[in-house]
Amino acid sequence: RKVQINPRTTAKDLVKILEETGTKVSISTVKRVLYRHNLKGRSARKKPLLQNSHKKDRLRFATAHGDKNRTFEKFPLV
């Protein structure tokens, strides 16, 4: 239930919570039980941050080519 409420809860956090209630389990046991209930661990994909120079370049391109029709291609096929 804790993981469904907050999906960012780690297995280590769950072990600490269970130890507070008096139950001692290993991290691998917690991971195995979560996986059995289709709660698989995932990490967010790392993407580069958009810098101000990138935003300005995109805006400059959009304003320069905003009057083109939809058939305009950024990279024409050769």
Side-chain angles (χ1 to χ4, degrees):
R1 288 185 195 150
K2 296 269 187 192
V3 175
Q4 288 176 341
I5 293 170
N6 182 11
R8 292 183 177 253
T9 306
T10 63
K12 192 180 269 189
D13 293 339
L14 292 173
V15 168
K16 288 180 184 177
I17 292 169
L18 288 170
E19 284 179 354
E20 291 173 0
T21 61
T23 306
K24 186 173 180 178
V25 292
S26 67
I27 294 175
S28 60
T29 303
V30 171
K31 288 181 181 181
R32 187 172 53 247
V33 171
L34 289 173
Y35 192 83
R36 192 180 307 149
H37 288 86
N38 289 327
L39 296 170
K40 299 168 180 73
R42 296 176 186 89
S43 59
R45 182 173 53 166
K46 294 181 181 178
K47 298 189 289 187
L49 297 175
L50 217 62
Q51 297 176 354
N52 286 333
S53 61
H54 298 143
K55 293 177 187 177
K56 288 177 185 175
D57 290 341
R58 289 183 62 152
L59 181 62
R60 193 177 309 122
F61 179 85
T63 54
H65 298 93
D67 59 342
K68 308 276 184 182
N69 60 11
R70 290 193 177 261
T71 59
F72 171 73
E73 292 181 340
K74 186 174 172 183
F75 302 106
L77 299 174
V78 177

